[in-house]
Amino acid sequence: MTAAESPSEVVARLRATFRTGRTRSLDWRTGQLTRLRDLLTESGDELADALHADLGKSRGESYRSEIDFTVREIDHTLERLAGWLEPEPAPVPAVLAGASAQTVQDPLGVVLVIAPWNYPVQLLLAPVAGALAAGNTVVAKPSELAPATSAAVARLVPRYLDTDAVAVVEGAVPETTALLAERFDHIFYTGNGTVGRIVMAAAAKHLTPVTLELGGKSPAFVDRGTDLRTVASRLVSGKFLNAGQTCVAPDYVLTDRETAPALAKALAEAVEERFGTDPSTSAEYGRIVNERHFDRLVRLLDSGRTVTGGVHDRGTKYIAPTVLADVSPNDPVMAEEIFGPVLPVLTVDGLDAAIGFINDRDKPLALYAFTTDPEVRERLLTETSSGGVGMGLPLAHLTVSDLPFGGVGESGMGNYHGRYSLETFSHRKAVLDTPLG
């Protein structure tokens, strides 16, 4: 988007491009995906610098969780896109003997992708890659709460991608509101449920389909008799990545009363092992995105008993990796998605109580289970509802491109990654061919 263009002019320009038909060809799609890959590999350091400025992310974390993650997603798509686009035959009934039936993937048109601030590269460009793979034109709206990354993306995208098919629109609430007033053919939003409802209401005026990637309080259940050192190490790695500002991070831990004290101790040891005695000096530990979120998180620290952490500094937006024990379901830390480096441990009277506790709350984006008991695994899988399930390792299911990523209920609707991105940004069109002769 140029400075002189309004949102309506941007959408009109991209729609005119789509109507030429040039975005439909496999060559155009793979060409744009290749150029997007080039952007990430050639300008990765520029993006990493921006991520450090916005979130204190280390270069290693920026590449692992954002830049290389998106490159792998593009590579997976490039390798398989031609096959995914092949028409799929369908059987026809005997009364239509001689006819043939198939489905084809039809591009939708002009897509709007609205990204959040916590993974402002990955959660913008991975959906954009899916929209381009499906043959659409795209308006990309980066988060204003990650201003350095937003500016970097706005500089880089026009250098690499077809500027008549992909536009970056920067700005805050007024610019997003103006975009949502336009008619799109699909809106893909990642963020919180409050804004998700605003997006959905705006989309309803044009009957525009939406994908909502939201969040929620993702539970982790730790069964008795598990290797607590391993469990704690994996929970700490998943929870405190990006200073806990991850939509699928374990939000709280459920375990039995006998296991809880040893687990709390193991978690404290795992924090020190990963980040040292003073995490504020660790190059691998980030910062809270802004003072508003910092203040919100500090108010949660009074819940339960602090096992480790609790230290914070508003000037640097630092909150230490914190583990809370003896937490009550009524404590402030359990009233909302934490979205920060605070991990509460709650006790329940066994598996039945854990399942009831989870089911009494909104459906989470993810559920994590640490158990060696096949029956416990099966019951958690079949008796709870969540966007995804990770047995034995948090967050890792996101890295499997052949798995759909998305929520259910309050944690979102729709999904993407790999072929599921193509399905999201396409219309599966039914075609019946009946000979005239």
Side-chain angles (χ1 to χ4, degrees):
M1 174 177 172
T2 65
E5 279 186 304
S6 67
S8 61
E9 289 168 334
V10 173
V11 174
R13 179 166 59 81
L14 267 57
R15 193 171 301 284
T17 299
F18 179 76
R19 287 174 175 167
T20 68
R22 80 166 188 256
T23 67
R24 292 176 174 269
S25 75
L26 179 62
D27 284 347
W28 185 89
R29 302 183 198 201
T30 57
Q32 291 302 295
L33 289 173
T34 301
R35 293 294 291 158
L36 183 56
R37 188 187 195 282
D38 291 343
L39 183 160
L40 291 161
T41 56
E42 294 172 4
S43 301
D45 286 352
E46 185 175 344
L47 293 171
D49 289 343
L51 290 166
H52 184 267
D54 287 329
L55 290 152
K57 291 191 184 189
S58 70
R59 190 165 295 265
E61 182 178 322
S62 293
Y63 271 92
R64 286 191 305 272
S65 67
E66 302 230 35
I67 298 163
D68 289 347
F69 182 103
T70 311
V71 168
R72 288 194 302 272
E73 180 73 11
I74 292 170
D75 287 345
H76 180 87
T77 301
L78 282 169
E79 185 179 339
R80 296 163 176 80
L81 183 57
W84 291 344
L85 290 173
E86 286 292 322
E88 294 188 14
V92 295
V95 294
L96 291 174
S100 62
Q102 62 182 12
T103 61
V104 296
Q105 296 281 22
D106 223 11
L108 294 174
V110 184
V111 167
L112 172 62
V113 175
I114 305 174
W117 52 262
N118 59 325
Y119 290 86
V121 172
Q122 181 213 135
L123 295 179
L124 179 69
L125 297 184
V128 166
L132 293 173
N136 300 289
T137 59
V138 188
V139 176
K141 171 61 181 68
S143 173
E144 72 278 9
L145 298 183
T149 307
S150 176
V153 168
R155 282 194 307 271
L156 293 169
V157 163
R159 296 184 200 169
Y160 285 87
L161 300 183
D162 183 343
T163 54
D164 288 326
V166 184
V168 178
V169 176
E170 290 192 278
V173 172
E175 289 77 12
T176 304
T177 301
L179 279 172
L180 288 173
E182 298 300 316
R183 182 177 69 83
F184 289 92
D185 299 288
H186 194 94
I187 298 174
F188 188 104
Y189 168 77
T190 304
N192 63 63
T194 300
V195 178
R197 287 172 168 80
I198 295 170
V199 170
M200 198 168 181
K205 294 176 182 176
H206 301 289
L207 293 180
T208 298
V210 297
T211 300
L212 299 179
E213 296 291 344
L214 308 177
K217 295 184 75 64
S218 295
F221 175 75
V222 178
D223 201 8
R224 66 184 65 197
T226 55
D227 178 352
L228 294 183
R229 179 179 172 84
T230 299
V231 170
S233 176
R234 294 181 182 182
L235 278 171
V236 164
S237 294
K239 174 63 179 182
F240 299 115
L241 176 72
N242 197 27
Q245 298 166 119
T246 303
C247 59
V248 287
D251 191 89
Y252 62 94
V253 179
L254 296 174
T255 193
D256 62 83
R257 300 180 195 283
E258 293 74 20
T259 304
L263 175 60
K265 182 174 182 290
L267 287 166
E269 292 169 350
V271 167
E272 182 172 343
E273 184 176 324
R274 184 165 185 82
F275 300 110
T277 56
D278 182 3
S280 70
T281 64
S282 171
E284 290 301 313
Y285 189 67
R287 297 297 183 264
I288 307 306
V289 66
N290 58 33
E291 283 146 355
R292 180 171 65 86
H293 282 282
F294 175 92
D295 293 339
R296 176 186 64 81
L297 289 164
V298 167
R299 288 193 291 270
L300 306 181
L301 295 176
D302 290 335
S303 302
R305 172 177 58 86
T306 302
V307 176
T308 188
V311 178
H312 50 87
D313 177 17
R314 196 172 192 267
T316 59
K317 299 191 289 290
Y318 167 75
I319 299 178
T322 299
V323 177
L324 302 176
D326 305 329
V327 173
S328 161
N330 298 319
D331 281 337
V333 77
M334 292 302 296
E336 60 183 61
E337 182 181 6
I338 296 168
F339 219 71
V342 184
L343 182 62
V345 179
L346 292 85
T347 58
V348 288
D349 293 326
L351 180 62
D352 288 344
I355 290 172
F357 190 96
I358 294 165
N359 288 338
D360 284 343
R361 287 154 178 80
D362 290 333
K363 295 178 181 181
L365 186 54
L367 180 146
Y368 302 114
F370 297 87
T371 180
T372 57
D373 187 331
E375 183 180 347
V376 172
R377 293 161 61 96
E378 183 63 20
R379 287 195 60 196
L380 285 167
L381 189 62
T382 58
E383 296 180 30
T384 65
S385 178
S386 59
V389 174
M391 296 289 185
L393 186 63
L395 276 62
H397 60 293
L398 273 73
T399 67
V400 182
S401 292
D402 284 318
L403 286 177
F405 175 65
V408 59
E410 284 287 321
S411 59
M413 62 178 68
N415 52 55
Y416 72 121
H417 286 178
R419 180 161 191 163
Y420 300 98
S421 291
L422 180 70
E423 297 279 352
T424 287
F425 292 113
S426 302
H427 166 62
R428 185 172 284 280
K429 184 161 64 178
V431 181
L432 179 69
D433 186 354
T434 308
L436 294 175

